[in-house]
Amino acid sequence: MARSLSWDDLKYDLQPWIRTAVDGMGFDSMTPVQASTIPMFCGNKDVVVESVTGSGKTIAFVIPILEKIVKDVLNGSKLKKGHFYSLVISPTRELSSQIQSVYDSFLAYYPDDVCPIKSQLLVGSSASSVRDDVSSFLENRPQILVGTPGRILDFLKSVAIKTASCGVTVLDEADKLLDVSFEKEVEAILNMLPKQRRTGLFSATISSAGDQIFRTGMRNPVKIAVKSKVQNPESLSINYVVVKPQDKLQYLLHILNHIQYRKCIVYFPTCTSVTYFYSFMKHLFSTGDMNEDLGIYSLHGKLQTTSRLNTLGKFSSSLSKSVLLTTDVAARGIDIPEVDLVLQFDPPTSTEMFLHRCGRTGRANRVGKAITFLNEGREEDFVNFLEVKNIEVDEMPLTAKLMEDFADKFKAWVIQDRARFDHGIRAFVGFIRYYSKHTASSIFRLQSLDYIGVAKLYGLIRLPRMPEISKYLDNDSMPHEGWLIEPALDLDKFAFANPQMERARLDELKKVKETNDKKKLKSDLKKKNAAWSNKTSAKESKGERKVKMAQRRKAIEEKIAREEERDESEEEEDWKDMVRRSKKRKTFSQIQGDFSELC
Ligand SMILES: Nc1ncnc2c1ncn2[C@@H]1O[C@H](COP(=O)(O)OP(=O)(O)OP(=O)(O)O)[C@@H](O)[C@H]1O
């Protein structure tokens, strides 16, 4: 941190135990945001705090909350059953858990055993229900609650929980909590809390929340913005590398295997892309393409809470070189001091997220590097876009020897198991959906995407049928029936490695075939019937025509007979005439018919 102040200069008298805690944790000096926020928030001010990632905002609200609670306790105010003093809301389970651990590290220095200060975590989890949370709360009587919006809301709805004593509320990563993903739940929570309370909003990108901040019911808030020339911490260098999409995975492996770092976080666009590349990278250990000393972890939102927290714990405490493959679920707030490298497989959908992802390194004045891959072509405009937003980025020269047989290795791995093929397709489709959500939509355009290159990056052997591909991939570039390998695979014979899945697939295939056979039989019969009925109708109409002609002939003959009866003499003459005319016609027709006589 460039500017720092001695704790002695803080314009507020900290309680001795808090001061001891600060010293004990090795925080020799305050950070600028702590120096500005603590006195304001400890006084009776609502605060809106914006300061770069890793600048120590957590302590800037943890200390004021502890100050207030302990003062109340010392003043003899006793919490009644079902009440609590303070609520901290954060967008993810990981961050909530991290904030709770910051409270706990301070509370380890709190000397009063008679009236201990406690905190409780409220996050969605299959391991404990809301009811469990409520009973544990009633039993342990914590003064501080920390959690995610959904679980907090469910918890507060319980009749046993009383909100009247909640004097301080903090929204950490407030811009995220106030955006569409959480705004309804957060609003509902805030409406349940007393109006006479202090509120603090904290984030590195709070400005992006705009007028939403006024929906939090703050009274004359003080805005504390610790400004610098650029939006990223000075200790963090941000680089980009321009690549062809199909080469990106190889460049990623090159960086992971060859660049110096202790811990690295790699951001992928979706949960499915994390699990897909994680399993392929695990396989690459066996082929010798991944450095065997590397510890590799995966973390995403589809995992259970316990497993998410366990993975993060293992990655944080790992002593060897480690890589965490993850999504934006671990982009905000996560504080792992040893992370010195952040890689973005693709740029995130917003500049705020770009700052948060990069900000997982270069924290608290430690040196950190963030590298973002950009697909060759239009995505390079993202660099100018970031510069306009005061985010400094530099191109990183990167030369890597690309393996010629890499694509074949990837395909061979995919072809071993149909589940991998399906997984890859889902990851690819998820990426296309993700791409369409970019806020900088003039740069990240679906019509400019190199679909074949991206499909190769995902190790696809066949392009999936999807509207974006039919719309934006021109006919000349479209491979025959979408196949990216030659010869095409017989999909009916493409098996799952898992016997149960394979049995289910074969059963399904049989059913489909039977249904198709039945359908075919039905349509053949229909055709046959249709032909027969057409012929019948044709026959009928021919027969009808015969009958009609016979009737008409009969009618004419009868008419003639009647006329013959009416005037026999005339008829006789007429008849003679007829014979005559007929003889003449015959003569004429003979002449007409004999060309030799004309010569
Ligand atoms: N006064 C201090 N001196 C040294 N280190 C500090 C100080 N205060 C906090 N830190 C350390 O700085 C790191 C970053 O702090 P913190 O997580 O609070 O940052 P932040 O501003 O909330 O970041 P983000 O915006 O990414 O959530 C932590 O490891 C914390 O222990």
Side-chain angles (χ1 to χ4, degrees), residues 27 29 31 34 53-58 173 333 335 360 363-364:
F27 301 148
S29 52
T31 69
Q34 291 160 358
T53 50
S55 55
K57 294 185 287 293
T58 314
E173 305 298 341
D335 182 57
R360 293 318 96 209
R363 299 172 71 73

Side-chain angles (χ1 to χ4, degrees), residues 6 20 62 196 298 345 390 457 460 462 466 488 492 503 521 525:
S6 156
T20 313
V62 162
Q196 296 291 336
S298 93
F345 203 57
N390 287 335
L457 166 67
L460 299 196
R462 189 185 195 182
M466 59 191 300
D492 284 356
R503 217 172 301 127
L521 197 73
L525 265 175

Side-chain angles (χ1 to χ4, degrees), residues 162-384:
K162 314 287 177 215
T163 57
S165 309
C166 178
V168 195
T169 304
V170 162
L171 270 62
D172 194 19
E173 305 298 341
D175 51 329
K176 180 69 195 163
L177 292 173
L178 295 172
D179 82 9
V180 278
S181 28
F182 293 113
E183 71 178 330
K184 286 212 170 73
E185 285 157 330
V186 170
E187 207 175 325
I189 294 170
L190 296 178
N191 285 337
M192 294 169 96
L193 302 177
K195 288 199 167 48
Q196 296 291 336
R197 59 161 204 270
R198 293 280 65 77
T199 305
L201 309 187
F202 292 76
S203 175
T205 52
I206 190 74
S207 304
S208 67
D211 288 347
Q212 286 291 91
I213 61 169
F214 298 109
R215 300 182 70 179
T216 54
M218 288 188 301
R219 295 146 172 248
N220 298 325
V222 177
K223 177 154 186 192
I224 300 167
V226 181
K227 293 260 183 211
S228 71
K229 273 201 300 253
V230 285
Q231 284 207 57
N232 41 292
E234 285 165 15
S235 55
L236 167 67
S237 71
I238 307 183
N239 297 97
Y240 67 93
V241 179
V242 180
V243 290
K244 286 193 175 67
Q246 60 267 37
D247 297 333
K248 202 190 285 185
L249 187 56
Q250 286 214 63
Y251 279 108
L252 174 78
L253 297 176
H254 173 83
I255 294 174
L256 294 181
N257 285 332
H258 301 293
I259 280 192
Q260 282 277 322
Y261 62 92
R262 285 185 67 194
K263 281 187 185 165
C264 168
I265 301 183
V266 188
Y267 288 99
F268 286 91
T270 61
C271 301
T272 322
S273 52
V274 169
T275 50
Y276 182 62
F277 287 112
Y278 174 76
S279 46
F280 182 52
M281 282 158 85
K282 278 280 199 196
H283 163 75
L284 291 177
F285 279 105
S286 66
T287 60
D289 295 308
M290 283 292 280
N291 194 335
E292 59 181 13
D293 305 331
L294 219 55
I296 169 165
Y297 304 86
S298 93
L299 173 72
H300 53 87
K302 283 192 185 141
L303 292 171
Q304 296 288 341
T305 307
T306 347
S307 146
R308 272 163 66 165
L309 296 176
N310 276 345
T311 304
L312 198 62
K314 279 187 199 155
F315 173 67
S316 310
S317 59
S318 145
L319 297 174
S320 58
K321 202 173 174 184
S322 323
V323 182
L324 178 72
L325 311 187
T326 189
T327 62
D328 286 337
V329 76
R332 283 180 177 256
I334 299 299
D335 182 57
I336 303 168
E338 297 80 20
V339 172
D340 46 3
L341 180 63
V342 163
L343 293 175
Q344 304 194 59
F345 203 57
D346 288 283
T349 51
S350 70
T351 28
E352 286 77 35
M353 202 45 94
F354 184 88
L355 287 170
H356 289 288
R357 282 174 168 192
C358 294
R360 293 318 96 209
T361 184
R363 299 172 71 73
N365 249 2
R366 289 184 200 91
V367 172
K369 191 178 191 67
I371 305 170
T372 306
F373 287 114
L374 296 177
N375 288 335
E376 219 176 67
R378 206 175 180 89
E379 286 187 16
E380 288 160 60
D381 291 352
F382 190 49
V383 175
N384 292 336

